[in-house]
Amino acid sequence: MSIDGATGTARLLSPASPFGVAVTPAGEHQYDIQFDVQGLPAPSTLGPYRTYVAWATTPQMHPVVKLGVIANGRTTLGRITFDRTLILISAESSAAVSERSGRLVLRGTSAAVRMQPHDLAFLLAGLLDRSDVPADAHAHHATGADGWTPPPMHPEVSMPPALMTLRPDVAPYALATDDAIPLARPRELLQLGDGASINRTAAPVRRVLFGRTVTMLGFNGQYPGPLIQVDERSTIQVRFVNHTDFPTAVHWHGVRLDNRFDGAPHVTQDPVPPGGTFDYTVHFPDAGLYWYHPHHREDVLQDLGLYGNLLVRSRDPGFFAPANREEILMLDDLLIGEAGPTEYGRDAPTHALMGRFGNVLLVNGEPRWTSTARRGEVVRVFLTNVSSTRVFNLSWQGARTRMKVVASDLGRYEQESWVDNVVIAPAERFVVDVRFDDAGEARLVNRVRAIDHIQARFFEELQPLGAVRVAAGRATPDHAATFNRLRRNADVVAEFDRYRSQFDRPVDHQLSITLETGSLPFPLTPLMNFESVYRHPVEWSGTMPEMDWVATGKAVRWILREPGTGRENMDIRWRFRVGDLVKLRLVNDRRALHAMQHPIHIHGQRFLVTAVNGVPNEHRVWKDTVLVPTGFTTDVLLELSNPGKWMLHCHVAEHIETGMRMVFEVDPK
Ligand code: C2O
Ligand code: CU
Ligand code: CU
């Protein structure tokens, strides 16, 4: 269909966002399109035409969106939100046409269009039924009582039944039920003064979830762990007591504390054995929202409920704009069937490729969060994602709300922004101010585009997380005036001015993300290499639980690789000095084996995201965790302010446990 000599490329660009990736409240990825076109002849040589127009549509050719006028050279047009995109360039009689009627000169498709239905289904069904598959392929099949309970199926995606016989190649781990184990209590609020000392005991608790009594873990018998509130620049003492079955340590995520108390086993301390204790001194230099969790076997311990928030308050009363009230929400998911949580791997994680997606969502450890407000109330919501691998896309439905994002991991944005939804990756934190404009019920939901790889189809997953009943009576005081205006925080701007000249310094260190596998259960190998397996920028959901759980840490090794030296993970040697500023480039190559998103976290320091895919980031805020979607290149300016040995790792629990971590050293000034 194309014209001789005319060629072009169209690149899907992810627009700027205060979050790791720009999506709509429905979870559709947003894109602008950068065209590079050569060889288009003068339109009049093709017929009664005066111009070229670019269009975007779906494979069904509906709807068709007019992107705009295009000519030879580079043009960026947008915005589109299709799951799969077809791009057309036509010659038209006028730039004002609203429908394509002229001659088609170029066309192209997005990568998602290559995902074909049935290919994978045929492959799996055919190969699983073959009797001549190599013996090794059956090694992971099991029959009879082996201690494993297959995870619940996804309600909308059916897999070949043969997959149901697969088992992980590690011994299962589950907590035994015992009526002597205490019933967990909801978390308490601990307002701690400077110098306070507390105990943090990790031990089994019984929970009643979805009508069944299950055994999980809790800090001090609570779910989540106690919510600790302190003023900035205070110090607390914490005695950790480990009554779990695994050696571990407690990490104070995001806090720039003394290296000795960072809680990184084998890096800053010996793991605390079952029955052992460790005394932490935690100093909080920065106002912000943090959390604590075990470090070592997070895939088991954190997933079973060991996590709690740390809210560090600024001593400046004007730090945030006024709000009527606060809510502090920890977002999680849990993979749970009739018999309780799906077993974990005793010696190595299950779900080593995708990470463990839960089939239910939890807010503060409960299936449903409820609250009340009055009309016009401004509620400051502190969000922490503590799930093993799930990226949430939160929005409000029902009674009208407005929302702005004001802060993230270690403080406030230079500039607040209005948002319709919040994308939050594992270990990230965001603070949003929400105004409940109308009376009624405002529902907090997670809405994403999930992929059924068998049918090659995208579908919506919409899961309720909670609801706020908004009463008709007006909230007092009324903060409408301050809420309606976006703040630019002059003190944050002034602070970042000290770093601005370094934003586009050259890259000092690069890490690319990849994977190595040993012998995987049979159907996973073709799945990983198979051409038609499309890799979305973010895997928002686990739609193949029967396959996901059988890839274990025995066969999967996730890798951070330094391209310059070829060094990987714990072999990477970086050495800095306090006061250094370094540019770090994180490259998540879409062509890597089993490419997926990774939330990358750095201990004990803070960084600014300076560019995403080469586009300067204007949504600046101090971070310790950044989501790097598939195919993205993310640049961060890392400030080395804290001496010691510090970890850099992926925060997908199953990825850190299967290799995706490194340590760098910071010498004192
Ligand atoms: Cu929250 Cu090393 O991590
Ligand atoms: Cu950390
Ligand atoms: Cu990862």
Side-chain angles (χ1 to χ4, degrees), residues 301-322:
L301 302 177
Q302 184 183 300
D303 199 60
L304 282 169
L306 291 180
Y307 50 77
N309 259 143
L310 302 156
L311 181 53
V312 182
R313 298 208 180 265
S314 168
R315 293 178 189 267
D316 168 9
F319 187 74
F320 284 125

Side-chain angles (χ1 to χ4, degrees), residues 485-501:
R485 154 181 103 71
L486 292 176
R487 291 218 303 187
R488 183 162 178 85
N489 295 304
D491 49 344
V492 181
V493 174
E495 187 189 8
F496 290 176
D497 280 344
R498 304 207 308 269
Y499 303 87
R500 236 172 279 278
S501 66

